Amino acid sequence: MYAFLLFVAVLASFRGTVQHGLPLEIGDTVQILEKCEGTVQVHRCNIAQLGIFPTNFIHLKNAHVKNKGQFETVLPVEDTVITEMTSTLRDWGAMWKQLYVKNEGDLFHRLWHVMNEILDLRRQVLVGHLTHDRMRDVKQHITARLDWGNEQLGLDLVPRREFSMVDPDEISVTELYRLMEHRHRKKDTPVPASTHHLFVHMKSLMSANIGEELEVYFHIYDGRENRPLSERFFVRLNKSGLPKSPEKTERQCTLFVDLGSSDLRKDVYIVVHIIRIGRMGAGEKKNVCSVQYRRPFGCAVVSIADLLTADSKDDHLLKVYACNTESEWFQIHENIIKKANSRYNLSGSNTGLSVALQLLHGDIEQLRREYMVLFTRGVSITRKLGFSDVIMPGEMRNDLYITLERGEFEKGGKSVARNVEITVYALDIDGQILKSQVAAGSGEPGADEYHSLVLYHNNSPRWAEQIKLPIPVDMFRGSHVRFEFRHCSTKDKGEKKLFGYSFVPLMQEDGRTLPDGIHELIIHKCEENTSLADCSRYLKLPFSKANLPSNNQTLKGIKESFWITSFLCSTKLTQNGDMLDLLKWRAHPERINDSLSKLKEIDGSEIVKFLQDTLDTLFGILDESSQRYGLKVFDSLVHIINLLQDSKFQHFKPVMDTYIESHFAGALSYRDLIKVLKWYVDRIVDAEHQDHIQQVLKASEYIFKYIIQSRRLFSLATGGQHEEEFRVCIHELFMSIRFFLSQENKGISPVAQTQAVFLRTFPAVYGELLKIFTVREVAGFIRETLGSLPTTVQADCPLETVKLQCIAKTVEDQLYINPESRCLLLPVVLRLLQAHMQEQRDQVMCARILTSMLSLIKKEENEVQLIVESLLGVLLRTILEISNRPQSAGPSMRLQFQDVTGEFVACLLALLRQMSDRHYQHMLQGFSSKDDLRDFLLQIFTVFRILIRPEMFPKDWTVMRLVTNNVIITTVLYLSEVWDSYFYLSVIFINQPCLQLESFSPSKRKKILEKYGDMRVMMGCEIFSMWQNLGEHKLNFIPAMIGPFLEVTLVPQPDLRNVMIPIFHDMMDWEQRRSGNFKQVESKLIDKLDSLMSEGKGDETYRELFNSILLKKIERETWRESGISLIATVTRLMERLLDYRDCMKLGEVDGKKIGCTVSLLNFYKTELNKEEMYIRYIHKLYDLHLKAQNYTEASYTLLLYDELLEWSDRPLREFLNYPMQSEWQRKEFLHLTIVQNFDRGKCWENGIILCRELADQYESFYDYRNLSKMRMMEASLYDKIMDQQRLEPEFFRVGFYGKKFPFFLRNKEFVCRGHDYERLEAFQQRMLNEFPHAIAMQHVNQPDQTIYQAEAQYLQIYAVTPIPESQDVLQRDGVPDNIKSFYKFNHIWRFRYDRPFHKGTKDKENEFKSLWVERTTLTLVQSLPGISRWFEVEKREVVEVSPLENAIEVIENKNLQLRTLITQCQNRQMQNINPLTMCLNGVIDAAVNGGLARYQEAFFVKDYIMNHPEDGDKIGRLRELMFEQAHILECGLAVHEKFVPQDMRPLHKKLVDQFHLMKSSLGIQEFPAYVRASPVHFTNGSPRTCRNSVPSIISPDGGRGVTRRSPLSYPAVNRYSSSSLSSQASNEVSNITGQSESSDEVFNMQPSPSTSSLSSNHSASPNVTSSAPSSARGSPQMAEKHKHSRENACLSPRERPVSAIFPNPLDPAQRAPPHQIGDATLPRSDPNLSAPDKVSAKNTSSQSPLPNSRSPQKTTVPPFTPSPTECQSSSLVSSSPVLSGSYSSGISSLSRCSVSEASGTELPTSDHPLPHPLAPPTTLPTSLSSGSDEPIRRENKTPPPYNVFMRDNPRRPVPLPHSLSIPPQTDPPALPPKPHQLRTGSMKLDGTSDPRVPRPRPLPRKVSQL
């Protein structure tokens, strides 16, 4: 249905700024709806948009509308090629720009040129001035360019017919498939050419000694047969070696034409002979002789096989060789080919022939089109000797080739041999020289004569020179060739003296030409001055010795002879006498019998030359003597007909056809032809030899042509007489044919072969029979003939294939197109076809037949019904069989497989598309039972699923896919009774890539929507409808269909989602009715969501839609609460999966990827309890860590899987990359992998624990070999701890604020472990790179709600200081720093940040009076390092530290630093004394400048004491520390004096003097008793720290809004070393840190930045010490008594929940306050404890008993490892400029005095307890008994991965790092923990081995098979 309307194109862009204006761009198309006053109301065609538009902006075009309505298509009335060009260029334009963006420069520029070329061609077509042929060429060129561009851009293949796109609705599916396949094959597999041509371009001869003109001859030479294959190409060169006529390219270039494929062999060569024109001898002087001779120069040879791989004209430099003796010249090329080196040599080291050679393929006309410039410029054609492989009718050629072979001459009375030159002339019958008829070769015009080579002094010369005589046919009779022989003198005159001649006539008297071959000619003597102008005088003489009469002894005795070889290539002349005898049969009637017999022996090329004359002769004989010669004439006719079947002569078939139609006059011949043919057919069954009969039947096509034409001629002549007689004869002939065809033969019998021969030619007879008989009569002949064939299919019989070929030709014939004949032929065709398809034989041919049949049916009811009944079932089975069959490996077999599958699929689609409602009803009614119907439906749905596989059609066959989908959706509407197959098919249908319209360009999407609509929505509605019809049977599809339906809802089509999502509510409802819950629905939804979303399906819109639709649906359900829970769970999973997918799209592994994976991993474990998914994500996270080289984190990640396994022999299935193995083997492999990664991450302490566990296992099995290896590995890890150094990492607090962050980061804060050498600026830059849209906040204050709810991303980053948990190791004397560093930076839960500020009025004279510190402590959900480099902050605590407390901390830390340096110096751990010198100088010199005096002024004055009575204890503590510092300084000076080098003595003296001034300024004469009681020196010579000094505890200040705690409860963890003796805080801190920073080995000091931690001006001090390449983290090398506690330091229980960021919520109070674990004798019942401390003290009673530890005091109170909130370590924290920046927020650098360099450690104590004047000791709570054997436990929401049982031993325990420790559990974990397996010899609580302890078997669970 078409409607005519106006269609316009936009000429100029319009913005549409007016009301209702329609914005348009140039080239848009719009449809006019209404016109009014200079504007038009239009409809934009490419998008559904209405608006107005100025009329002068548009150009009107005629158009018509197809399918008017919702999906109408507006088509302009113009050439379809123009329409396609326009739309294609518009699509290319957008994609072309993207090529530039993607940096695909090459394709960008090529496409740009092609687009411009298409635009130029488009203009030519639009102008319309092209001729018809030119228009065709232009369109062909356009479509070729369009196809090229579409292929390059990955666009669709366009089916075309005659350059125009075809409409798939207007042709059959089979025809569409053929078009697509033809274009696909044309693109992929070009047809190899059978004809080849060699292009030669002679450029120059490079030689140092030319000096003479040259002649260069090229020809192609067959080295196998030692003969030339072509004539010669002749080029003249000047004396410089360049072409003599450079302006005439045809004289330099040639094309050797008509080379066959058999000529492209290695032993076929291009031979070049070079002749010089000049003096006789090359070395003769110039001007000696004026006569020029043709003399040999050189020869070059190149194999043609070298050109087979060259695609372009390559220049070749050919080596030129010369023969050693001239007598070898005739075979120099053969010697070069055979490499007979002794017979030739290089003509010169610099001699070479420069030639361009190129092999071209295709017929000559094709080359003229493709290489137009070549032929326009001029190129000579060099022909092949003889005819080409294919002789074309009308080809005119008459070339006689004569080769001057050799001669034998007498001396002629001379003492030396002659120098013989031959002159060749061609003369006509009158003796006149034929002008320009003697050619030395192509390239140069012919001459009147030819001069041969002159071989020096040679009486037996061999020339081997070929010349061509292109004499016209009409001049051949009477012509002859004369050869004149002259002796060339080398004397001064250089005369050429005639001494003889020879001649040869070109045609004999009987009309035969000179025979091909060698001729020995007689040399007739003559005088020098003899005139040969009168040829009649010598033509009477004999010319050849072969023709001499026997009595002529005179000439026979002549010794001189001359040999030539002749070869005639003529299309008109013959050398065959038998042929002439046959043609002149009337002259010699007695020879007819012999002539007919000899016809079969005549060469075919001779017969086709005289084809018409020969046929006239045969039918003339038949008319006159049919009785006598009828059989022989028939056989001769059969011979000629079969001769034309040869590929060489097949092009002469049109000549015979023309003869039959126009020249044949045998009106009576049909009787004899029918009679003889029937006689042969009747003899078939009984004949022993079938060869001749088969030849007869092979020619039956043309025999019938002669029969029919003869009968027509007879009817015209007689008015139709004897018609009935003729019909009877034909019927009898066919009866004989049917009889012999009906014979059944087993195997390969002669009769079967004869049947096959007839069937091959039989279809060609149909057209001839139609010339006389009616359509129905001919169809009857064919039906009866084919029906007589036996129906049984025999596997080994070649007849079966021929049957199908015959049927294929039948259905492709014009007769079958006629419906009248088709109704007769269809049943027999279907019967034979069905038999073959059922046997699965000859499927390619079956597909071809079926394709042809179905391309003709046009919904004819009866035909479609017949085909459906006969072939639908077998067609479905065939497709299933082919699809399930394994493909062969060979490419040809694969191609055939794809072809036959596609053909059958196209046939099925064509048949289904033609079926109507009646056909479907009839088909469904034909099934006898429901089982049969079900089987059929299952079969067809299975086939449909195969059809929509992506690999079914090539990627760019979108048109074919859309047609397939259209047919499927139509068929599915009829067939929907097998529900599960129906649903699966529908789901696969909807998810096809070719239906995802969102991925298409707008124009392509528009075309599909206009033609088909959105078939996904249509199918979705069908699915919903069918689901509703299921009723209670829905339960049979739950949960099986959840996954498929979920996949459908993830398709980004809103309408489809709205239709399909409610089905999940229905599933939940039905599952609730059946089971009381919908766990199955939930489980299946979660499992499928992960896999589908990881494939890129789903989006945020889908998550919101899923949530809103289902929540609305369940509002009134009784199970609403559980439904809301399920929906919320699935929605949260979608959030995480979407975040995970978005993160995974990034190229590099960054924190976002890892954090997202951790979030998803924890969600699967804690909320969903999906253990298999949990383990999968463990390994995904592990791979991410390995890729990022986070080896420590990778180890912790893999531990999560390791902890799920037991040391058991239970078999585990193959899973991920793990093979099938026992649980023990997998756990062993995991242990070894984790140890390896701990080693690579330099976390050797953790690796040691695993080594020990493995060693215990090996020992228990007596596997001493592996035990030995494990012990050696353990030892190597100890060595690495002591020998290698580790960088100390920095830690950063990162806040992610704003709604634009991913869900797992949004409005949360984390602490991140930095990379090696990474400081704050680098870390901040890295985070901004990961989140390029984030804004960095330039302050450290907590953001407000505005920031939290902002639609943006805000990052807040600052450095934080770790608070170590393991105090015991850090405070122990004699432990190397590289061991302590491990405990300072590993297993860290808490981090601290200090912000100094002034409260109240700031005293400008003394800032210390008002300097407060706001201390923020961050507690993580899991310790660092762990399974991620960052973890979420679980708890934030803020306290304020008073100025007095701050002063106490500063001095304590400085005292600790001094003690450490003194100890290291005494133990000679320092390579030089400079660090101690600088530290002493910083403290003493600062004191002189008023350091400690400032504290005295601030806190020891009466006003302060009176105003702060509660600080009395603290003031006393400060005074005590000041005296202690003076005492330490005195000891330090003593040590310094002992080790100071001589050149630093003056400095030491200065320090001593200043120290005395300092003491006097403090009023110290001698140290108090408690100071003296704490000596610095110990028995081992090392200063001991005051381990037992008890700090005072201050009471809380209830008036403060923020909890105020003592600095002893919240220890200073600053990275700054402040002097505490400075009068100007900022100056003294900078002074002290500046001096201490120069120590590179012992401690690390850095100044604080003067600006915010985010300030870009922050930079590290130039004196920053390298914190020992980070690896120096503590070693387990220690006394035996500490061994066990160190062993347990890295272990953690398997009960730990997996969550690293989202733990199971537990009461924070259940976590043991860190100050409750320690070994100091600090009384915990101090009445001065602050309220929070008391709460913490009370909570200790609920904790597990702590292990007994040895205390330096003589007391019953078990010592505690000091908590980081109370005491500091004796070692120093890494001096990182990043972390140092965390203590400054733009406030005065006085903040540095509030914290200590010793991060997170307590003041060391002495072995001798010091009486504390302020806090009397008290006893510990009873829960902390001294005899506890329980493991140390710390409440943790994410337990570490190991169980550790402490053994009762006298060794001092080392606290267990909390990332690997056992917390008490209040709630059961998400997964049941496995019972811990006691390890023999290592896990006994009493320290002894008990082999009787049984190993508990773990409970069976899903993960056990992983």
Side-chain angles (χ1 to χ4, degrees), residues 1210-1214 1218-1223 1225-1226 1229:
R1210 190 172 6 159
L1212 300 181
R1213 66 176 172 86
E1214 184 177 349
Y1218 300 105
M1220 184 181 294
Q1221 58 191 161
S1222 69
E1223 191 173 9
Q1225 290 172 326
R1226 188 169 296 178
F1229 170 77

Side-chain angles (χ1 to χ4, degrees), residues 1376-1646:
D1377 284 346
N1378 50 357
I1379 296 177
K1380 290 184 179 180
S1381 65
F1382 174 79
Y1383 296 97
K1384 286 193 292 183
F1385 297 101
N1386 284 270
H1387 317 309
I1388 308 298
W1389 292 85
R1390 299 187 304 134
F1391 298 85
R1392 198 177 69 190
Y1393 169 73
D1394 284 0
R1395 184 178 68 85
F1397 66 97
H1398 287 275
K1399 183 180 291 188
T1401 304
K1402 179 179 178 182
D1403 190 338
K1404 295 183 179 180
E1405 298 296 330
N1406 192 339
E1407 296 179 348
F1408 290 126
K1409 292 182 179 180
S1410 59
L1411 184 62
W1412 287 72
V1413 173
E1414 180 186 87
R1415 178 162 298 157
T1416 303
T1417 303
L1418 306 175
T1419 305
L1420 305 184
V1421 295
Q1422 185 174 338
S1423 64
L1424 284 172
I1427 63 173
S1428 175
R1429 293 194 79 94
W1430 55 5
F1431 288 116
E1432 186 182 355
V1433 174
E1434 178 188 38
K1435 185 171 68 174
R1436 161 189 285 267
E1437 294 177 337
V1438 180
V1439 296
E1440 292 180 353
V1441 180
S1442 67
L1444 177 57
E1445 295 166 347
N1446 188 28
I1448 292 172
E1449 289 182 2
V1450 171
I1451 299 179
E1452 282 177 340
N1453 291 334
K1454 182 52 67 177
N1455 291 352
L1456 177 60
Q1457 180 185 357
L1458 284 168
R1459 290 177 185 274
T1460 303
L1461 291 176
I1462 293 169
T1463 302
Q1464 292 176 346
C1465 186
Q1466 280 190 324
N1467 292 339
R1468 301 185 183 277
Q1469 295 179 3
M1470 291 192 297
Q1471 297 178 358
N1472 59 63
I1473 202 171
N1474 289 344
L1476 178 61
T1477 303
M1478 288 185 290
C1479 190
L1480 291 173
N1481 183 56
V1483 177
I1484 296 173
D1485 195 30
V1488 172
N1489 292 332
L1492 293 179
R1494 295 298 185 188
Y1495 292 132
Q1496 289 178 305
E1497 295 173 5
F1499 306 117
F1500 293 169
V1501 297
K1502 185 176 180 181
D1503 290 344
Y1504 183 86
I1505 297 173
M1506 294 296 293
N1507 293 331
H1508 300 84
E1510 73 280 3
D1511 289 346
D1513 295 342
K1514 299 175 186 175
I1515 294 172
R1517 175 60 179 160
L1518 179 61
R1519 182 180 295 109
E1520 174 188 327
L1521 291 173
M1522 292 168 65
F1523 284 118
E1524 182 182 335
Q1525 188 176 83
H1527 179 56
I1528 295 172
L1529 289 172
E1530 186 173 31
C1531 296
L1533 287 172
V1535 173
H1536 189 264
E1537 181 177 13
K1538 180 177 178 182
F1539 295 104
V1540 70
Q1542 193 64 33
D1543 57 346
M1544 294 181 64
R1545 285 289 175 184
L1547 176 60
H1548 176 75
K1549 185 176 182 304
K1550 176 187 174 185
L1551 291 176
V1552 173
D1553 295 341
Q1554 289 178 338
F1555 175 67
H1556 290 303
L1557 291 175
M1558 172 188 139
K1559 285 177 62 178
S1560 62
S1561 67
L1562 294 175
I1564 299 175
Q1565 300 299 327
E1566 62 178 15
F1567 292 101
Y1570 62 85
V1571 175
R1572 292 195 302 273
S1574 177
V1576 177
H1577 296 277
F1578 293 89
T1579 56
N1580 59 1
S1582 64
R1584 297 281 238 176
T1585 55
C1586 297
R1587 191 177 302 277
N1588 295 332
S1589 60
V1590 181
S1592 61
I1593 308 298
I1594 62 173
S1595 300
D1597 185 359
R1600 298 188 183 129
V1602 180
T1603 306
R1604 181 175 173 222
R1605 303 196 65 173
S1606 165
L1608 307 181
S1609 299
Y1610 286 89
V1613 191
N1614 202 340
R1615 317 200 127 267
Y1616 311 94
S1617 174
S1618 175
S1619 166
S1620 79
L1621 305 175
S1622 172
S1623 59
Q1624 294 290 334
S1626 59
N1627 292 336
E1628 67 189 14
V1629 172
S1630 127
N1631 183 18
I1632 292 172
T1633 57
Q1635 293 179 6
S1636 61
E1637 283 162 2
S1638 63
S1639 171
D1640 294 336
E1641 302 294 335
V1642 182
F1643 62 97
N1644 304 305
M1645 308 287 293
Q1646 299 235 351

Side-chain angles (χ1 to χ4, degrees), residues 1203 1691-1694 1696 1836 1838-1842 1857-1863:
E1203 71 182 8
L1691 299 181
S1692 62
R1694 106 184 36 240
R1696 177 183 58 169
N1836 176 14
T1838 306
Y1842 294 104
H1858 293 295
S1859 65
L1860 299 173
S1861 62
I1862 304 174

Side-chain angles (χ1 to χ4, degrees), residues 404 406-409 418-425 452 461 463 482-488 496-503 521-528 532 560-564:
L404 310 180
R406 62 189 180 92
E408 290 290 340
F409 302 98
R418 288 172 169 169
N419 304 321
V420 180
E421 180 190 75
I422 306 175
T423 306
V424 183
Y425 298 94
S452 72
W463 297 278
R482 185 173 71 216
F483 307 92
E484 299 178 0
F485 305 100
R486 289 178 172 82
H487 167 66
C488 301
K496 297 181 180 180
K497 298 179 180 179
L498 179 69
F499 67 86
Y501 66 91
S502 296
F503 70 94
L521 304 183
I522 300 172
I523 298 177
H524 298 278
K525 296 283 187 177
C526 66
E527 297 298 327
E528 178 182 347
L532 301 176
E560 292 189 323
S561 294
F562 173 54
W563 285 267
I564 65 170

Side-chain angles (χ1 to χ4, degrees), residues 265-266 268 301-310 314 316:
R265 310 189 308 265
K266 287 185 178 181
V268 175
V301 175
V302 61
S303 173
I304 203 169
D306 298 340
L307 308 177
L308 295 178
T309 57
D314 294 335
H316 295 257

Side-chain angles (χ1 to χ4, degrees), residues 453-576:
L453 279 170
V454 178
L455 300 179
Y456 188 65
H457 288 174
N458 193 337
N459 282 339
S460 301
R462 305 191 69 160
W463 297 278
E465 290 188 84
Q466 179 196 93
I467 59 175
K468 180 172 77 169
L469 305 176
I471 301 173
V473 175
D474 55 345
M475 301 179 69
F476 229 76
R477 179 175 293 277
S479 297
H480 70 280
V481 179
R482 185 173 71 216
F483 307 92
E484 299 178 0
F485 305 100
R486 289 178 172 82
H487 167 66
C488 301
S489 174
T490 57
K491 295 181 180 180
D492 296 343
K493 293 183 180 180
E495 298 174 346
K496 297 181 180 180
K497 298 179 180 179
L498 179 69
F499 67 86
Y501 66 91
S502 296
F503 70 94
V504 59
L506 300 184
M507 186 175 284
Q508 301 176 23
E509 293 180 0
D510 59 0
R512 289 180 294 167
T513 60
L514 180 68
D516 293 345
I518 297 178
H519 307 277
E520 183 182 359
L521 304 183
I522 300 172
I523 298 177
H524 298 278
K525 296 283 187 177
C526 66
E527 297 298 327
E528 178 182 347
N529 54 1
T530 301
S531 173
L532 301 176
D534 185 6
C535 59
S536 61
R537 295 170 56 188
Y538 62 80
L539 285 178
K540 298 176 182 178
L541 300 174
F543 65 90
S544 170
K545 290 189 177 182
N547 297 331
L548 285 175
S550 58
N551 57 1
N552 194 336
Q553 298 299 324
T554 305
L555 292 177
K556 282 191 174 182
I558 296 176
K559 296 182 179 179
E560 292 189 323
S561 294
F562 173 54
W563 285 267
I564 65 170
T565 301
S566 69
F567 176 76
L568 178 67
C569 185
S570 174
T571 56
K572 288 297 182 182
L573 302 177
T574 181
Q575 303 167 350
N576 193 290

